[in-house]
Amino acid sequence: MFPTEHFLFLAALLFSLGLLIIITKRNTIMMLLGIELMLNASNLNLVAFNRLLPETVDGQIFALFVIVVAVSEAAVGLAIVLQVYQYYQTSIPDSISELKE
Amino acid sequence: MTFVAFMFYFFEAVAALSALGLALVRNVFYGALLLVACLLALAGIYVLAFAEFIAVTQILIYAGGILVVIIFGIMLTTKISEKPLVVEHSYILSGILAAAACFCLLVFVLSKESFVSLTAYVAPPPVNSVQTIGVSLFSKYMLPFEVAGVLLLIALIGASVLASNIKSKKE
């Protein structure tokens, strides 16, 4: 069917774009979206390599645990973003520099 | 090109283009919608990679759960400041350099490796994969499953404690 490289190239592209989003966007929610994109790229790799061993489901179960950790990360991250927003009245991560001064 | 191959490359193109759009778009709400499109396309790719259970979990948890939470976050953060949700870009050159370096490194390593010999064995799993996942989740992966449950409980309590406004109640 499909070559495994096509899955892996798409995963590499999604991972690099997630890195680009995390570096360039000046908004904490956009950075969380970039982190979700990177976690999905790793999930795609796990599922693609699980295709090569069809008699086991180890890769798929690992992808399930990655999804569980991503859910926890999104919930706690958004709670922190909301608290920081209420305290500093900004969502630009560079302008929260109280410890720097 | 068969219909299945056409759908596979269609889903790959949708995922790649929506991720690219997510990197370019300036509105947070449009970004969340583009991420939904990317995650649904990835769920389609999972179905074509014989991972049906992961695909359904992806749609239920990511597109249904996380994105609703993120859209709630967008709504709550705009209510406080009442500013438009336009996101500025910064560090564009260094971001593009880091992302391009990461992508080129991954593509270089992947193109040196050959998975062609392994793809000859790719076939649909002989048994019901959902049943296999369920059985191994409660036998071989019992401890990680329970630890994941505890992690979800801790994250739930932690998120509700962090997001609740304790200071205003005391005053």
Side-chain angles (χ1 to χ4, degrees), chain A residues 9 12 15-16 18 21 31 39 50 52 56 61 69 71 76 80 87 89-91 94 96 99-101:
Chain A
F9 285 144
F15 191 85
S16 325
I21 289 166
M31 292 167 79
L39 286 167
N50 195 100
L52 302 179
T56 62
I61 286 179
V69 174
V71 168
V76 176
I80 293 173
Y87 190 78
Q89 297 289 317
T90 179
S91 70
D94 284 339
I96 304 164
L99 286 177
K100 209 163 103 183
E101 284 146 12

mmCIF file of all heavy atoms in Angstrom, chain A residues 9 12 15-16 18 21 31 39 50 52 56 61 69 71 76 80 87 89-91 94 96 99-101:
data_model
loop_
_atom_site.group_PDB
_atom_site.id
_atom_site.type_symbol
_atom_site.label_atom_id
_atom_site.label_comp_id
_atom_site.label_asym_id
_atom_site.label_seq_id
_atom_site.Cartn_x
_atom_site.Cartn_y
_atom_site.Cartn_z
ATOM 1 N N PHE A 9 7.487 11.682 6.352
ATOM 2 C CA PHE A 9 7.736 13.037 5.850
ATOM 3 C C PHE A 9 6.649 13.990 6.331
ATOM 4 O O PHE A 9 6.938 15.126 6.720
ATOM 5 C CB PHE A 9 7.809 13.040 4.325
ATOM 6 C CG PHE A 9 9.088 12.467 3.793
ATOM 7 C CD1 PHE A 9 9.092 11.719 2.632
ATOM 8 C CD2 PHE A 9 10.284 12.672 4.449
ATOM 9 C CE1 PHE A 9 10.268 11.184 2.146
ATOM 10 C CE2 PHE A 9 11.461 12.147 3.968
ATOM 11 C CZ PHE A 9 11.452 11.399 2.814
ATOM 12 N N ALA A 12 7.376 14.775 9.900
ATOM 13 C CA ALA A 12 8.496 15.724 10.027
ATOM 14 C C ALA A 12 8.040 17.137 9.719
ATOM 15 O O ALA A 12 8.399 18.095 10.412
ATOM 16 C CB ALA A 12 9.624 15.308 9.084
ATOM 17 N N PHE A 15 5.935 18.445 12.608
ATOM 18 C CA PHE A 15 6.775 18.764 13.776
ATOM 19 C C PHE A 15 7.505 20.087 13.577
ATOM 20 O O PHE A 15 7.528 20.935 14.474
ATOM 21 C CB PHE A 15 7.766 17.616 13.989
ATOM 22 C CG PHE A 15 8.494 17.679 15.285
ATOM 23 C CD1 PHE A 15 7.931 17.147 16.433
ATOM 24 C CD2 PHE A 15 9.734 18.264 15.365
ATOM 25 C CE1 PHE A 15 8.589 17.205 17.634
ATOM 26 C CE2 PHE A 15 10.404 18.319 16.565
ATOM 27 C CZ PHE A 15 9.834 17.790 17.700
ATOM 28 N N SER A 16 8.071 20.308 12.361
ATOM 29 C CA SER A 16 8.805 21.554 12.122
ATOM 30 C C SER A 16 7.862 22.746 12.140
ATOM 31 O O SER A 16 8.208 23.812 12.655
ATOM 32 C CB SER A 16 9.527 21.496 10.785
ATOM 33 O OG SER A 16 9.983 20.215 10.527
ATOM 34 N N GLY A 18 5.122 22.956 13.892
ATOM 35 C CA GLY A 18 4.802 23.207 15.294
ATOM 36 C C GLY A 18 5.897 23.989 15.983
ATOM 37 O O GLY A 18 5.635 24.924 16.751
ATOM 38 N N ILE A 21 5.641 27.567 14.861
ATOM 39 C CA ILE A 21 4.530 28.265 15.521
ATOM 40 C C ILE A 21 4.925 28.650 16.942
ATOM 41 O O ILE A 21 4.677 29.778 17.385
ATOM 42 C CB ILE A 21 3.279 27.369 15.504
ATOM 43 C CG1 ILE A 21 2.731 27.270 14.093
ATOM 44 C CG2 ILE A 21 2.204 27.913 16.419
ATOM 45 C CD1 ILE A 21 1.735 26.174 13.919
ATOM 46 N N MET A 31 0.753 29.221 21.022
ATOM 47 C CA MET A 31 1.869 28.332 21.341
ATOM 48 C C MET A 31 1.354 26.962 21.782
ATOM 49 O O MET A 31 1.934 25.923 21.445
ATOM 50 C CB MET A 31 2.756 28.960 22.413
ATOM 51 C CG MET A 31 3.501 30.177 21.921
ATOM 52 S SD MET A 31 4.222 31.119 23.235
ATOM 53 C CE MET A 31 5.653 30.139 23.573
ATOM 54 N N LEU A 39 2.816 17.124 19.158
ATOM 55 C CA LEU A 39 2.435 15.835 19.752
ATOM 56 C C LEU A 39 1.734 14.953 18.730
ATOM 57 O O LEU A 39 1.930 13.730 18.695
ATOM 58 C CB LEU A 39 1.523 16.072 20.959
ATOM 59 C CG LEU A 39 2.217 16.602 22.199
ATOM 60 C CD1 LEU A 39 1.198 17.081 23.202
ATOM 61 C CD2 LEU A 39 3.038 15.511 22.820
ATOM 62 N N ASN A 50 3.778 1.254 13.627
ATOM 63 C CA ASN A 50 2.967 0.106 14.039
ATOM 64 C C ASN A 50 2.443 -0.666 12.819
ATOM 65 O O ASN A 50 2.187 -1.869 12.904
ATOM 66 C CB ASN A 50 1.795 0.585 14.897
ATOM 67 C CG ASN A 50 1.145 -0.552 15.640
ATOM 68 O OD1 ASN A 50 1.389 -0.756 16.812
ATOM 69 N ND2 ASN A 50 0.341 -1.321 14.933
ATOM 70 N N LEU A 52 4.136 -1.543 10.334
ATOM 71 C CA LEU A 52 5.130 -2.517 9.885
ATOM 72 C C LEU A 52 5.082 -3.804 10.691
ATOM 73 O O LEU A 52 5.648 -4.812 10.272
ATOM 74 C CB LEU A 52 6.530 -1.900 9.981
ATOM 75 C CG LEU A 52 6.712 -0.615 9.183
ATOM 76 C CD1 LEU A 52 8.102 -0.079 9.352
ATOM 77 C CD2 LEU A 52 6.413 -0.859 7.722
ATOM 78 N N THR A 56 1.189 -6.830 16.320
ATOM 79 C CA THR A 56 1.194 -6.206 17.642
ATOM 80 C C THR A 56 0.480 -4.863 17.573
ATOM 81 O O THR A 56 0.290 -4.307 16.495
ATOM 82 C CB THR A 56 2.629 -5.970 18.135
ATOM 83 O OG1 THR A 56 3.258 -5.074 17.232
ATOM 84 C CG2 THR A 56 3.408 -7.264 18.189
ATOM 85 N N ILE A 61 -0.986 1.642 21.247
ATOM 86 C CA ILE A 61 -1.231 1.890 22.671
ATOM 87 C C ILE A 61 -0.359 3.034 23.160
ATOM 88 O O ILE A 61 -0.799 3.875 23.955
ATOM 89 C CB ILE A 61 -1.004 0.590 23.456
ATOM 90 C CG1 ILE A 61 -2.185 -0.323 23.190
ATOM 91 C CG2 ILE A 61 -0.863 0.842 24.932
ATOM 92 C CD1 ILE A 61 -2.101 -1.630 23.850
ATOM 93 N N VAL A 69 -1.662 12.158 27.764
ATOM 94 C CA VAL A 69 -0.768 13.188 28.308
ATOM 95 C C VAL A 69 -1.049 14.529 27.646
ATOM 96 O O VAL A 69 -1.002 15.580 28.306
ATOM 97 C CB VAL A 69 0.697 12.745 28.127
ATOM 98 C CG1 VAL A 69 1.636 13.840 28.541
ATOM 99 C CG2 VAL A 69 0.967 11.511 28.945
ATOM 100 N N VAL A 71 -3.923 15.620 26.591
ATOM 101 C CA VAL A 71 -5.142 16.166 27.201
ATOM 102 C C VAL A 71 -4.811 16.845 28.523
ATOM 103 O O VAL A 71 -5.225 17.988 28.781
ATOM 104 C CB VAL A 71 -6.175 15.038 27.404
ATOM 105 C CG1 VAL A 71 -7.299 15.508 28.282
ATOM 106 C CG2 VAL A 71 -6.716 14.576 26.086
ATOM 107 N N VAL A 76 -4.127 21.754 31.917
ATOM 108 C CA VAL A 76 -3.332 22.504 32.898
ATOM 109 C C VAL A 76 -2.734 23.759 32.256
ATOM 110 O O VAL A 76 -2.710 24.837 32.862
ATOM 111 C CB VAL A 76 -2.239 21.591 33.483
ATOM 112 C CG1 VAL A 76 -1.355 22.359 34.418
ATOM 113 C CG2 VAL A 76 -2.874 20.438 34.222
ATOM 114 N N ILE A 80 -3.269 27.666 33.432
ATOM 115 C CA ILE A 80 -2.169 28.592 33.736
ATOM 116 C C ILE A 80 -2.276 29.845 32.877
ATOM 117 O O ILE A 80 -2.084 30.978 33.358
ATOM 118 C CB ILE A 80 -0.815 27.886 33.541
ATOM 119 C CG1 ILE A 80 -0.647 26.796 34.584
ATOM 120 C CG2 ILE A 80 0.326 28.865 33.647
ATOM 121 C CD1 ILE A 80 0.568 25.941 34.364
ATOM 122 N N TYR A 87 -3.866 38.028 35.809
ATOM 123 C CA TYR A 87 -2.935 38.754 36.675
ATOM 124 C C TYR A 87 -2.224 39.858 35.906
ATOM 125 O O TYR A 87 -2.133 40.989 36.369
ATOM 126 C CB TYR A 87 -1.927 37.777 37.273
ATOM 127 C CG TYR A 87 -1.075 38.368 38.350
ATOM 128 C CD1 TYR A 87 -1.593 38.527 39.635
ATOM 129 C CD2 TYR A 87 0.214 38.777 38.100
ATOM 130 C CE1 TYR A 87 -0.830 39.070 40.631
ATOM 131 C CE2 TYR A 87 0.990 39.325 39.097
ATOM 132 C CZ TYR A 87 0.464 39.466 40.360
ATOM 133 O OH TYR A 87 1.224 40.019 41.341
ATOM 134 N N GLN A 89 -2.901 40.814 32.589
ATOM 135 C CA GLN A 89 -3.721 41.429 31.542
ATOM 136 C C GLN A 89 -3.031 41.387 30.184
ATOM 137 O O GLN A 89 -3.160 42.293 29.368
ATOM 138 C CB GLN A 89 -4.093 42.867 31.894
ATOM 139 C CG GLN A 89 -4.955 42.989 33.131
ATOM 140 C CD GLN A 89 -6.355 42.478 32.907
ATOM 141 O OE1 GLN A 89 -6.959 42.736 31.894
ATOM 142 N NE2 GLN A 89 -6.868 41.694 33.837
ATOM 143 N N THR A 90 -2.245 40.364 29.918
ATOM 144 C CA THR A 90 -1.620 40.218 28.610
ATOM 145 C C THR A 90 -1.434 38.732 28.331
ATOM 146 O O THR A 90 -1.359 37.928 29.250
ATOM 147 C CB THR A 90 -0.264 40.926 28.546
ATOM 148 O OG1 THR A 90 0.286 40.721 27.260
ATOM 149 C CG2 THR A 90 0.702 40.398 29.583
ATOM 150 N N SER A 91 -1.401 38.401 27.046
ATOM 151 C CA SER A 91 -1.124 37.011 26.686
ATOM 152 C C SER A 91 0.123 36.925 25.813
ATOM 153 O O SER A 91 0.327 35.935 25.132
ATOM 154 C CB SER A 91 -2.305 36.383 25.958
ATOM 155 O OG SER A 91 -2.434 36.948 24.685
ATOM 156 N N ASP A 94 6.457 37.412 25.952
ATOM 157 C CA ASP A 94 7.666 38.203 26.155
ATOM 158 C C ASP A 94 7.456 39.329 27.159
ATOM 159 O O ASP A 94 8.410 39.791 27.777
ATOM 160 C CB ASP A 94 8.124 38.809 24.820
ATOM 161 C CG ASP A 94 8.778 37.761 23.957
ATOM 162 O OD1 ASP A 94 9.208 36.750 24.516
ATOM 163 O OD2 ASP A 94 8.840 37.964 22.738
ATOM 164 N N ILE A 96 5.804 39.207 29.905
ATOM 165 C CA ILE A 96 5.755 38.733 31.296
ATOM 166 C C ILE A 96 7.198 38.512 31.719
ATOM 167 O O ILE A 96 7.750 37.434 31.570
ATOM 168 C CB ILE A 96 4.931 37.441 31.404
ATOM 169 C CG1 ILE A 96 3.537 37.666 30.832
ATOM 170 C CG2 ILE A 96 4.812 36.992 32.833
ATOM 171 C CD1 ILE A 96 2.797 36.407 30.552
ATOM 172 N N LEU A 99 10.532 38.427 36.551
ATOM 173 C CA LEU A 99 11.716 37.840 37.172
ATOM 174 C C LEU A 99 12.997 38.376 36.546
ATOM 175 O O LEU A 99 14.066 38.276 37.133
ATOM 176 C CB LEU A 99 11.685 36.320 37.029
ATOM 177 C CG LEU A 99 10.695 35.601 37.922
ATOM 178 C CD1 LEU A 99 10.716 34.133 37.612
ATOM 179 C CD2 LEU A 99 11.043 35.827 39.374
ATOM 180 N N LYS A 100 12.886 38.942 35.311
ATOM 181 C CA LYS A 100 14.084 39.396 34.610
ATOM 182 C C LYS A 100 14.581 40.703 35.193
ATOM 183 O O LYS A 100 15.766 41.001 35.134
ATOM 184 C CB LYS A 100 13.744 39.557 33.133
ATOM 185 C CG LYS A 100 14.897 39.341 32.188
ATOM 186 C CD LYS A 100 14.355 39.123 30.795
ATOM 187 C CE LYS A 100 14.518 40.356 29.949
ATOM 188 N NZ LYS A 100 13.920 40.169 28.619
ATOM 189 N N GLU A 101 13.672 41.512 35.748
ATOM 190 C CA GLU A 101 14.062 42.865 36.141
ATOM 191 C C GLU A 101 14.572 42.900 37.582
ATOM 192 O O GLU A 101 14.413 41.976 38.322
ATOM 193 C CB GLU A 101 12.853 43.798 35.994
ATOM 194 C CG GLU A 101 12.617 44.133 34.529
ATOM 195 C CD GLU A 101 11.131 44.301 34.224
ATOM 196 O OE1 GLU A 101 10.338 44.385 35.180
ATOM 197 O OE2 GLU A 101 10.785 44.316 33.038
#
